[in-house]
Amino acid sequence: MKIHIKTYGCQMNERDSEALAGMLIEAGHTMVDSEEAADVLLFNTCSVREQAERKAKGKIGYMKKLKARHPDLIIGALGCMAQRLGNELLNELPHLDFVLGTGQLHTLVPLVESIRADRKQVVAVTESAEVLTGMRTHHRHAGSEEPDFKAQIAITRGCNRFCSYCIVPYVRGREISRSREDVVAEARELVADGAKELLLLGQNVAAYGWGGNVNPPPSGVSPFAELLEELDRIPELLRIRFTSPYPTYFNDRLIAAIAGSRTVCHNIHLPLQSGSDRVLAAMNRQYTATGYRAVVAALRAAMPDVTFSTDVIVGFPGETDEDFRLTRELMNEVGYDNSFIFKYSPRPGAKSAADEDSVPQEVKEERNALLLEDLKTRVAAALRGQVGTVQEVLVEGTSPRNPERWSGRTGTNRLVHFLPVADLKPGTLRQVKITRAGGVSLFGELL
Ligand code: 5AD
Ligand code: SF4
């Protein structure tokens, strides 16, 4: 059958969709780009903010017309919103054929077959650890002969942190880690298939291997550090990135492993959420602004060139002007190269949904705009500071906006554009002299 997948939400969801595509192809199906051409339409949904749910529901609702024209069309809702709403989603969108939660994704292939055979609606939302080992397939050849040199591996699933605003622990269940042997074997297979850069994924990726609820971890021990060290020894692998780590898991052992590695990039996504201790406590984030600054300082001491990105929520219940000022101050102090700023959205089921969503929408918008403005100014200044330096980039291919140029990324995750030379290949490391800074990227010459 011809299958189309649309994905909402985070990188973990992107990875799940990629694994599902791989599974479907192994089972003899083909992936198609358009909804109209598909026999099966899959929507891999997100619940993290209300808007993500609204978008997916709107899109699925719209597919009713398509189904009226193609009565054999099978439509499925998968992932976090499917998990959260289960049967309720079938009531709301009765033209759905199935609802497949986060714990049951690995059963997609037989499920689609059974629906094709008997056309019965199915809701499958039981939590299951099998999804951890059952989502190992990849689909990195989309649209070309050559596989993409980037590959993603999910090393943990679920979350045990229970931040008060967050739905994830309820829709992805308790945190579980794959075995080191399994992850390393998958990495080796990917590298043998041309992967040069691995992105390790998990809701709390640095808690890999702990199990239970260890936070903060004791100093001197880090199963995640051990995993990075083992992956670092895979000869043809050039780069490792990971996302998202909870700040308290950066102990001395992990920082030393990152700084001492050949492949781990000097760009760390370090979710801050708020710079106010009062708000952090209300969010059940188990660190203070001082503790967070200490992690940044320790990473900088070990890697002077390290860059940071972050996630921040504005307008959490009760966030005052002073709380916001503290967030803004901390953000400018750290000088993030990128930040994802979210306006607080109450999620039914998460703890803070019981509190009044007290910050008016206009104030959320205003705070959001101020942080984005700060970011723009800061990034432009940081990029100007790179002019004249020589940077190592991993070549990506032609620049999306100007096909005469190519681009690549530094280990610190900065995008650099340059004119190509003969035999330039995506997935190779090259030295580039930076000659000019734009607002969001750099320009240079290949050496
Ligand atoms: N409202 C707004 N943003 C949220 N996030 C998680 N839950 C919410 C919510 N209820 C943000 C956090 C998290 C990112 C993935 O989404 O910043 O790190
Ligand atoms: Fe959305 Fe969170 Fe689920 Fe990712 S894990 S899809 S961000 S709800």
mmCIF file of all heavy atoms in Angstrom, residues 8-10 13 45-48 80 167-168 171-172 203, ligand 2:
data_model
loop_
_atom_site.group_PDB
_atom_site.id
_atom_site.type_symbol
_atom_site.label_atom_id
_atom_site.label_comp_id
_atom_site.label_asym_id
_atom_site.label_seq_id
_atom_site.Cartn_x
_atom_site.Cartn_y
_atom_site.Cartn_z
ATOM 1 N N TYR A 8 3.949 15.748 13.873
ATOM 2 C CA TYR A 8 3.881 16.968 14.686
ATOM 3 C C TYR A 8 4.836 16.795 15.858
ATOM 4 O O TYR A 8 5.110 15.672 16.278
ATOM 5 C CB TYR A 8 2.461 17.171 15.221
ATOM 6 C CG TYR A 8 1.445 17.340 14.121
ATOM 7 C CD1 TYR A 8 0.905 16.221 13.486
ATOM 8 C CD2 TYR A 8 1.069 18.602 13.688
ATOM 9 C CE1 TYR A 8 -0.007 16.375 12.450
ATOM 10 C CE2 TYR A 8 0.161 18.759 12.659
ATOM 11 C CZ TYR A 8 -0.383 17.638 12.040
ATOM 12 O OH TYR A 8 -1.271 17.791 11.021
ATOM 13 N N GLY A 9 5.313 17.917 16.425
ATOM 14 C CA GLY A 9 6.042 17.822 17.685
ATOM 15 C C GLY A 9 7.533 17.672 17.548
ATOM 16 O O GLY A 9 8.135 18.172 16.596
ATOM 17 N N CYS A 10 8.107 16.952 18.490
ATOM 18 C CA CYS A 10 9.551 17.010 18.745
ATOM 19 C C CYS A 10 10.360 16.070 17.859
ATOM 20 O O CYS A 10 9.826 15.311 17.061
ATOM 21 C CB CYS A 10 9.803 16.658 20.198
ATOM 22 S SG CYS A 10 9.290 14.963 20.592
ATOM 23 N N ASN A 13 9.492 12.457 18.011
ATOM 24 C CA ASN A 13 8.386 12.096 17.119
ATOM 25 C C ASN A 13 8.862 11.935 15.681
ATOM 26 O O ASN A 13 8.406 11.039 14.983
ATOM 27 C CB ASN A 13 7.299 13.175 17.182
ATOM 28 C CG ASN A 13 6.081 12.674 17.911
ATOM 29 O OD1 ASN A 13 6.181 11.769 18.730
ATOM 30 N ND2 ASN A 13 4.936 13.264 17.619
ATOM 31 N N THR A 45 1.132 12.460 16.217
ATOM 32 C CA THR A 45 0.699 13.699 16.881
ATOM 33 C C THR A 45 1.502 14.046 18.135
ATOM 34 O O THR A 45 2.235 13.226 18.671
ATOM 35 C CB THR A 45 -0.773 13.558 17.301
ATOM 36 O OG1 THR A 45 -0.857 12.464 18.227
ATOM 37 C CG2 THR A 45 -1.676 13.296 16.106
ATOM 38 N N CYS A 46 1.309 15.284 18.595
ATOM 39 C CA CYS A 46 2.006 15.836 19.758
ATOM 40 C C CYS A 46 0.972 16.444 20.699
ATOM 41 O O CYS A 46 -0.039 16.973 20.253
ATOM 42 C CB CYS A 46 2.962 16.916 19.257
ATOM 43 S SG CYS A 46 3.749 17.895 20.544
ATOM 44 N N SER A 47 1.259 16.394 21.996
ATOM 45 C CA SER A 47 0.331 16.962 22.993
ATOM 46 C C SER A 47 0.963 18.065 23.812
ATOM 47 O O SER A 47 0.377 18.542 24.765
ATOM 48 C CB SER A 47 -0.109 15.868 23.979
ATOM 49 O OG SER A 47 -1.046 15.036 23.386
ATOM 50 N N VAL A 48 2.184 18.474 23.467
ATOM 51 C CA VAL A 48 2.952 19.301 24.396
ATOM 52 C C VAL A 48 2.320 20.660 24.655
ATOM 53 O O VAL A 48 2.374 21.173 25.758
ATOM 54 C CB VAL A 48 4.434 19.392 23.964
ATOM 55 C CG1 VAL A 48 4.638 20.373 22.832
ATOM 56 C CG2 VAL A 48 5.315 19.734 25.134
ATOM 57 N N CYS A 80 1.520 10.924 20.766
ATOM 58 C CA CYS A 80 1.187 11.487 22.085
ATOM 59 C C CYS A 80 -0.284 11.863 22.241
ATOM 60 O O CYS A 80 -0.910 11.532 23.243
ATOM 61 C CB CYS A 80 2.093 12.678 22.374
ATOM 62 S SG CYS A 80 3.821 12.167 22.578
ATOM 63 N N ILE A 167 3.126 17.371 29.867
ATOM 64 C CA ILE A 167 2.259 16.221 29.624
ATOM 65 C C ILE A 167 3.066 14.948 29.329
ATOM 66 O O ILE A 167 2.540 13.835 29.413
ATOM 67 C CB ILE A 167 1.292 16.557 28.443
ATOM 68 C CG1 ILE A 167 0.107 15.599 28.379
ATOM 69 C CG2 ILE A 167 2.016 16.610 27.110
ATOM 70 C CD1 ILE A 167 -0.899 15.757 29.470
ATOM 71 N N VAL A 168 4.344 15.120 28.984
ATOM 72 C CA VAL A 168 5.127 13.990 28.471
ATOM 73 C C VAL A 168 5.135 12.750 29.386
ATOM 74 O O VAL A 168 4.928 11.636 28.903
ATOM 75 C CB VAL A 168 6.572 14.417 28.112
ATOM 76 C CG1 VAL A 168 7.435 13.216 27.756
ATOM 77 C CG2 VAL A 168 6.544 15.378 26.940
ATOM 78 N N VAL A 171 2.010 10.857 28.673
ATOM 79 C CA VAL A 171 1.743 10.284 27.349
ATOM 80 C C VAL A 171 2.867 9.385 26.842
ATOM 81 O O VAL A 171 2.669 8.616 25.899
ATOM 82 C CB VAL A 171 1.443 11.369 26.278
ATOM 83 C CG1 VAL A 171 0.092 12.007 26.551
ATOM 84 C CG2 VAL A 171 2.530 12.410 26.194
ATOM 85 N N ARG A 172 4.040 9.469 27.469
ATOM 86 C CA ARG A 172 5.122 8.581 27.027
ATOM 87 C C ARG A 172 5.578 7.642 28.133
ATOM 88 O O ARG A 172 6.514 6.855 27.952
ATOM 89 C CB ARG A 172 6.301 9.382 26.471
ATOM 90 C CG ARG A 172 6.033 9.857 25.045
ATOM 91 C CD ARG A 172 7.271 10.416 24.403
ATOM 92 N NE ARG A 172 7.046 10.804 23.029
ATOM 93 C CZ ARG A 172 7.391 10.055 21.978
ATOM 94 N NH1 ARG A 172 7.970 8.892 22.143
ATOM 95 N NH2 ARG A 172 7.156 10.494 20.766
ATOM 96 N N GLN A 203 13.789 11.867 26.024
ATOM 97 C CA GLN A 203 13.161 12.994 26.720
ATOM 98 C C GLN A 203 14.124 13.560 27.748
ATOM 99 O O GLN A 203 14.147 14.737 28.015
ATOM 100 C CB GLN A 203 11.874 12.542 27.411
ATOM 101 C CG GLN A 203 10.631 12.973 26.685
ATOM 102 C CD GLN A 203 10.431 12.184 25.409
ATOM 103 O OE1 GLN A 203 10.570 10.983 25.414
ATOM 104 N NE2 GLN A 203 10.132 12.866 24.342
HETATM 105 FE FE1 SF4 B 2 5.068 16.457 21.749
HETATM 106 FE FE2 SF4 B 2 6.300 15.847 24.008
HETATM 107 FE FE3 SF4 B 2 5.129 13.941 22.609
HETATM 108 FE FE4 SF4 B 2 7.358 15.107 21.692
HETATM 109 S S1 SF4 B 2 7.129 13.854 23.555
HETATM 110 S S2 SF4 B 2 5.537 14.665 20.522
HETATM 111 S S3 SF4 B 2 7.055 17.219 22.399
HETATM 112 S S4 SF4 B 2 4.160 15.670 23.632
#
